Amino acid sequence: MSSSSSTVEENNTVIDQPVMVKEPSIAKFREEVVNWGLLYDSVATIEDPDFRINAELAKLVRDARKSIVDAFDEGRPFISNNYCTAPEVSKAMGLPSYMLFEAPFIPSSKEVLGDQLDHTAAMGLGPDLCTAIRSGIYYVEQGLVPLPAAMIGFIFPCDGMPMLHQVIKHNKFWKDMPLFCPDPPYFQDPRSIDYFANELKKMVSFLHNATGATLDMDKLKEIIDESNKQYLLWQEYNELRRARPSPHGYDIGGAKCFCVSQMFSVGEPDGTEWFGKLVKLAEDKVEQGLGSTPQEKIRMFWFDIMPPNWADELFPILAQEYGAVCVMDMFGNSPYTTIDTSSEESIWQGMAKRGLFDTPMVRQAIGPAEGFLDDLTRIVRDYEIDVVVWPGHMGHKESLGTYGIIREACKDLGVHFLDLRVDILDGRFVEKDETLDKFARFFKNKGLA
Amino acid sequence: MVDKIEVANLPVSLFDLHIEQLRYCIESLNNGERKMTQYDVRSTPQEILNGLPIQVAEDHRSRLILRKNTFLELGNPEAGSCAFPIWSNEPSLVSDGRITLIGPDIPETPDASLPFGQVILLYGEQLSKAQQMALEQKQYDAGLIDGYMIRSAPGRVWGRVSREVVSKGLNFEMLGKVLIALFKQQIPQVESVELLFVTSSKADVEQLAKIAGGVKRIGDGLVKETWAEKGFDLDACIDHDCSTCHEVEDCDDIRDVVQLAQQTKRKRKAGQRKTR
């Protein structure tokens, strides 16, 4: 396989010289490198293997952050990218990356998120705009994230995302930054894969023009081969969550597997090693019949992103009071297929399929409602779900459109359906006690408590 | 625009053409280069289930198989995988109780990751689109065999077989018998069941996948029709028919705003030119 960037239709904005901008917004990332490092240093002292596997993530987050800080300090380009736009590509081009709207999902933001969101109201943003987008806008406007050499935009799956790009185009520091948005087709068919594969090739040309970096196809193959290992281990781990009792609940697995494979350790052996440890840990627990709670009675499927900032105020109580355990969630679901790296074309097609059909939120929310239905049916069956919890996140308007269909499908499947209506990021949107009360009344009315 | 299947315009027996294609495919695979085995099952569903040396979960819960207890895997996506049910209202198209295996059997291939094709052919005079979703789900029911796990991989049958169940005698004949029994027992409209298993090669499984594409498109159309009859449109706005879309007012508003913005921009530009 030759080392080259791919030939594509050239219709992107071409700039003469790579953009290299320095500005002071790197401070927060520097701080995070230190803090994640300190957390990782404490891993050896943690005895509980469940706590330890989570704490070991600190190294992967620290390393990802450090790659940005190092690039900044050394004057090398780094970019802003997304999980569904082939992060393997930028990795293979040697471009460190971060996601612009990731901040509210990272535990270190929990304490300040409320104030930040209040500030976005003062900035004039409507409170009905998805919290993740509002947060991303806040970080750009306040200079809390470093200006990348280029950005891969994220215009799917939700309609709110372009708002972030509009803000960027009006921000005095960010407005001249090269921006490219791969265009996602609506349908899930072979034509869409061909189309999106070509969009990804355009993305390579764009990144080359914007940063000077070139794509080494051998390196890309190596990264994808490693990422294939991660996805297979994730799949293996998910099989183990089908056990009764499920080895883990809300706090391990799911979102973490997503973060490792698609954000912080894309196609890296360190990430694969973490997955290997996770599988071994779960296998041991399954063999010993150990669950996340001593008395598992109710198995729940959380049909959205797991709330990163208030889950630990809800799920431990549900487990303790009702034996209710979250055995699967939308980001924890792993429908990924491995990418065939035998030819360049199969690599592009595989990455297109992964970005369009496999990645969470995109998989469920883009295209007709069939995607939601298929996943729901299979998960309810495979994980022996008793209750489908529909968080109804205020920002996921595209999902809310399928509410009636999902409720009806749950009726057909004979599984209970709980409609919550929360903000998965901002715990203040609905009082914790109100949410707990909803669960309590629901479990009682359905004869589950 | 994606081809839309207008199910109402298709012949009564929707999949008959695909069944013919499947017969042709089996014939072409049976050219002496591959091992082909056939079984004919004449027992009733209850006789089948009572006579098995293995357990089929009555609680409808599938059992987990750990990596270290795995005898082999079937249909890992890397090895090749394709599975679908297909049905007809024409009795002559389905050989009731016939199980055809093309390729090696389970006990012959320890520690292997075999390509896997599983096609379930069904006949029932009363079979209709109302059963489409149930038939699609039922194809995963082999996972109720204690020692045979269907992995949770959407849209595919990716199986894992335990060492223990192989030592009790699980092979494709037995797997097929269980599927025949479960389909007949649990979907009353099913009168005949025939099974095809392919494990010979990824290329052979991919031949089935070509037929599966057409079957899926029709199957999806049937599911959409069933949902439409319940009052739900799975396609939402994809027909691009603004006259029937409930979001038409919002769209019109957006168009107005865009027009207004463009007019303002033009005026501003014109004003700038005048100033110069």
Side-chain angles (χ1 to χ4, degrees), chain A residues 189 236 287 381-382 412, chain B residues 2 68 141 152 160 230:
Chain A
D189 61 17
E236 187 67 36
E287 281 201 283
R381 177 193 171 107
D382 292 341
D412 290 347
Chain B
V2 162
K68 66 178 185 183
D141 269 12
S152 187
R160 179 177 277 186
K230 291 196 228 179

Side-chain angles (χ1 to χ4, degrees), chain A residues 361-400:
Chain A
M361 229 164 88
V362 180
R363 173 180 176 77
Q364 292 91 1
I366 200 171
E370 284 165 278
F372 264 107
L373 273 183
D374 291 346
D375 282 358
L376 176 74
T377 306
R378 201 65 200 275
I379 288 169
V380 165
R381 177 193 171 107
D382 292 341
Y383 292 88
E384 297 170 17
I385 298 297
D386 301 305
V387 177
V388 171
V389 182
W390 179 262
H393 172 54
M394 46 67 78
H396 285 166
K397 295 169 181 71
E398 76 292 338
S399 308
L400 293 174

Side-chain angles (χ1 to χ4, degrees), chain B residues 27-39:
Chain B
E27 259 180 49
S28 68
L29 292 176
N30 186 24
N31 58 2
E33 291 174 6
R34 300 162 185 82
K35 183 182 171 188
M36 181 163 160
T37 321
Q38 283 192 329
Y39 308 92

Side-chain angles (χ1 to χ4, degrees), chain A residues 172-331:
Chain A
K172 68 175 176 180
F173 292 110
W174 287 63
K175 67 182 168 66
D176 295 324
M177 176 200 57
L179 170 66
F180 177 82
C181 301
D183 179 31
Y186 184 78
F187 295 102
Q188 296 198 342
D189 61 17
R191 286 174 65 210
S192 297
I193 293 182
D194 290 342
Y195 181 82
F196 198 60
N198 198 51
E199 288 294 298
L200 295 179
K201 290 176 186 174
K202 288 183 193 172
M203 181 178 84
V204 174
S205 292
F206 162 79
L207 287 173
H208 172 69
N209 290 331
T211 68
T214 54
L215 176 62
D216 178 343
M217 284 304 288
D218 289 333
K219 182 71 183 163
L220 180 60
K221 180 183 180 308
E222 187 185 307
I223 285 166
I224 290 176
D225 284 339
E226 195 64 35
S227 80
N228 281 344
K229 290 181 199 166
Q230 295 182 358
Y231 287 109
L232 286 172
L233 285 166
W234 185 356
Q235 176 78 44
E236 187 67 36
Y237 171 70
N238 274 2
E239 301 298 344
L240 295 160
R241 291 185 73 104
R242 294 165 69 178
R244 275 184 182 263
S246 180
H248 294 137
Y250 78 97
D251 52 342
I252 299 177
K256 275 93 179 177
C257 295
F258 164 79
C259 289
V260 172
S261 60
Q262 281 159 47
M263 287 169 65
F264 298 124
S265 201
V266 178
E268 287 182 10
D270 279 358
T272 312
E273 189 186 335
W274 182 85
F275 270 107
K277 286 179 184 173
L278 179 69
V279 172
K280 181 72 177 65
L281 173 62
E283 278 178 340
D284 290 346
K285 291 190 78 171
V286 168
E287 281 201 283
Q288 294 165 46
L290 295 175
S292 65
T293 186
Q295 289 290 320
E296 179 187 289
K297 290 180 189 160
I298 304 168
R299 292 167 71 88
M300 299 187 292
F301 170 39
W302 182 271
F303 208 167
D304 210 309
I305 304 170
M306 193 56 75
N309 302 313
W310 50 271
D312 55 2
E313 295 169 19
L314 174 71
F315 289 103
I317 298 173
L318 296 179
Q320 198 178 337
E321 297 280 321
Y322 309 101
V325 177
C326 194
V327 294
M328 188 42 63
D329 63 272
M330 187 197 277
F331 271 57

Side-chain angles (χ1 to χ4, degrees), chain B residues 58-84:
Chain B
E58 287 175 5
D59 57 5
H60 290 274
R61 285 179 178 169
S62 55
R63 298 331 194 234
L64 206 60
I65 299 170
L66 300 181
R67 289 183 293 184
K68 66 178 185 183
N69 299 329
T70 301
F71 181 82
L72 64 71
E73 282 209 342
L74 298 167
N76 180 316
E78 284 184 358
S81 174
C82 176
F84 59 94

Side-chain angles (χ1 to χ4, degrees), chain B residues 86 101 106 109 127 142 148-149 162 164 179 183 200-201 237 242-243 254 267:
Chain B
I86 187 168
L101 168 64
I106 291 168
T109 48
L127 273 176
Y148 182 73
M149 176 175 85
S162 77
E164 195 186 349
L179 281 168
F183 266 91
S200 41
S201 71
C237 189
C242 297
S243 64
I254 291 167
K267 277 181 193 166

